[in-house]
Amino acid sequence: MTTPDLEAALHAARAAILADLSAREVADAAVVSIVEDAVTHRRWWLEQWPQGSEFVLGLVAQDVQDALLEQYGRWPICLDCQAADGDLHALGVEPELGPDPHWVCGKRGVVVAPVGSL
């Protein structure tokens, strides 16, 4: 993978995660810094394994989700379950390592949205 292709994959992942954060109204400066840190970490990872570009979106989503859990709490919350019965649980990213990652409600076993489309 060339450097422009690597950067394009990283920028696309960054934009998709920021779109999801904005959709859930949590894209403040501190959270955007978390995204930047995740992208920086995955840049190194892609430099080591350029064939992994199709996996970078899901990995950045998981990295941001993990960092938010440590610092702020669960994200993104499953709004359907929250509205139905007050259950506050986070959506998961599936596949864990694969192309075309989606946000999935583990409780109901349904795809909620592609990553980047909350």
Side-chain angles (χ1 to χ4, degrees):
M1 171 177 273
T2 66
T3 299
D5 293 337
L6 181 144
E7 290 300 320
L10 291 167
H11 286 297
R14 179 185 182 278
I17 301 307
L18 288 175
D20 284 347
L21 290 162
S22 294
R24 295 295 175 93
E25 300 177 355
V26 294
D28 65 20
V31 173
V32 171
S33 291
I34 289 171
V35 175
E36 295 301 331
D37 289 346
V39 169
T40 297
H41 172 72
R42 291 302 169 178
R43 177 175 285 111
W44 177 88
W45 182 83
L46 271 180
E47 288 169 351
Q48 307 309 305
W49 190 46
Q51 301 83 357
S53 65
E54 66 182 335
F55 308 132
V56 77
L57 174 57
L59 292 170
V60 170
Q62 291 173 42
D63 292 345
V64 170
Q65 190 177 39
D66 291 347
L68 286 173
L69 180 61
E70 291 176 12
Q71 296 180 23
Y72 297 100
R74 292 174 279 192
W75 176 86
I77 298 297
C78 179
L79 297 179
D80 292 336
C81 290
Q82 181 185 18
D85 58 17
D87 185 13
L88 291 176
H89 64 271
L91 300 172
V93 176
E94 290 184 11
E96 288 186 20
L97 183 62
D100 303 317
H102 288 73
W103 293 112
V104 175
C105 171
K107 180 179 178 181
R108 295 177 294 127
V110 298
V111 173
V112 173
V115 172
S117 299
L118 280 178

